[in-house]
Amino acid sequence: MDANWFNDLFDDKYDNVMNNVVRYVSNGFGGTNTGSGFGCSSGAGNGNNTDDDDDDDDENKHDDDEEDDLFWLREFDHNKLLLCMTRALALYYNNYIYKEPCIVSYNTGMRWLNEILNGHWVRCVNMFRMDADTLQSLCVDLEMLYGLKQSRRMSVIEKVGMFLYTLALGASNREVQERFQHSGETVNKYFNKVLRLVCLLAVELIKPVDLEFSIIPTEITMNPRYMPHFKVKNNFSKLLNN
């Protein structure tokens, strides 16, 4: 039995292999009986056999051909299954197991941040809209008073630095990723976390000294544009006290 047609099936490019398999299976391996020795008969025997013997020989040959067809059908199904499994494993490996590193810069976010904090004060103001001492003081307050903790791969000052860098420069998530060498998910996570804590800090800092507004600031009393409104309130307060 000549199996060259079987080998030729897998000698093509990978993209055509599955098409060849499907074509051969769909056609019932048609065309394999000629020129390949597949299912070919070796002769009709000698002329001395009787008609009954010829009929028996034809039936036996037909049975053998059916067994050969079933054998090759199983072989093709097996190879087709192996090809599909191999392709599926390759796709799974490329998509979920092997991942080419993207964050590989030597100048990490913390390294760049240290350079800014230890450099000229103008650089820190340009990047974070505050000097190094104010930035470090803000980090201490957020850590000691509001529970901002360092994580396994990121310090408190780097979290606050990413937050201030985004606000000061209007940077996008991708720009912060490239600058601090962290993933977009990490940038988004710690930006929101620092934002919530800064909002809590704002409630404590941004409030009037006199909660009852019993004393009118001089900036208002000396301004004829605003004082008339407060004068009405002041006269009303005196009437209530009397």
Side-chain angles (χ1 to χ4, degrees):
M1 182 179 294
D2 185 10
N4 290 331
W5 62 273
F6 179 81
N7 295 328
D8 293 338
L9 182 63
F10 299 95
D11 288 341
D12 204 345
K13 295 181 179 179
Y14 178 80
D15 295 336
N16 298 328
V17 169
M18 292 305 300
N19 295 331
N20 293 338
V21 172
V22 172
R23 185 175 67 254
Y24 274 94
V25 173
S26 300
N27 295 335
F29 314 111
T32 59
N33 293 331
T34 59
S36 63
F38 183 84
C40 292
S41 59
S42 58
N46 53 40
N48 297 327
N49 294 334
T50 62
D51 293 339
D52 293 337
D53 293 337
D54 291 339
D55 293 339
D56 292 339
D57 291 340
D58 292 339
E59 291 179 358
N60 293 332
K61 291 178 181 179
H62 181 69
D63 293 339
D64 292 339
D65 291 341
E66 289 184 351
E67 291 179 359
D68 290 341
D69 289 341
L70 290 176
F71 169 77
W72 285 111
L73 179 61
R74 288 193 296 269
E75 287 295 320
F76 271 107
D77 289 341
H78 178 70
N79 289 319
K80 181 180 179 182
L81 179 60
L82 289 178
L83 288 171
C84 293
M85 290 179 61
T86 303
R87 180 57 178 165
L89 290 174
L91 289 174
Y92 183 84
Y93 176 80
N94 291 331
N95 292 335
Y96 300 104
I97 297 178
Y98 175 75
K99 295 183 179 181
E100 183 179 358
C102 179
I103 310 295
V104 294
S105 175
Y106 173 80
N107 191 21
T108 61
M110 195 62 205
R111 193 185 302 275
W112 174 80
L113 191 58
N114 286 329
E115 179 184 339
I116 295 296
L117 294 177
N118 296 324
H120 197 279
W121 65 273
V122 174
R123 296 182 63 190
C124 188
V125 173
N126 290 338
M127 293 294 100
F128 306 114
R129 297 298 187 264
M130 61 181 66
D131 57 31
D133 294 335
T134 305
L135 175 57
Q136 293 174 353
S137 177
L138 176 61
C139 294
V140 172
D141 290 341
L142 293 177
E143 182 177 8
M144 301 301 296
L145 301 179
Y146 297 95
L148 181 61
K149 303 296 183 183
Q150 67 177 8
S151 58
R152 185 165 58 93
R153 295 184 178 180
M154 191 181 302
S155 62
V156 172
I157 194 170
E158 188 174 2
K159 294 178 182 180
V160 178
M162 284 197 309
F163 173 78
L164 295 176
Y165 181 85
T166 303
L167 297 181
L169 302 181
S172 65
N173 185 287
R174 294 183 185 275
E175 292 173 340
V176 179
Q177 290 180 45
E178 182 62 27
R179 176 68 278 171
F180 288 87
Q181 293 294 295
H182 290 292
S183 65
E185 181 181 359
T186 301
V187 171
N188 183 70
K189 174 183 176 182
Y190 290 117
F191 178 88
N192 292 327
K193 192 169 186 177
V194 175
L195 177 61
R196 288 193 296 269
L197 298 180
V198 170
C199 290
L200 296 177
L201 177 63
V203 174
E204 297 295 329
L205 296 179
I206 306 175
K207 62 182 179 180
V209 178
D210 183 9
L211 298 179
E212 296 181 357
F213 298 98
S214 59
I215 301 175
I216 301 177
T218 57
E219 291 82 0
I220 295 178
T221 58
M222 300 302 293
N223 193 327
R225 182 179 179 183
Y226 300 115
M227 186 55 196
H229 302 283
F230 286 87
K231 186 180 295 185
V232 174
K233 180 180 181 300
N234 192 21
N235 294 334
F236 183 72
S237 300
K238 290 180 180 180
L239 291 176
L240 291 179
N241 293 332
N242 293 334

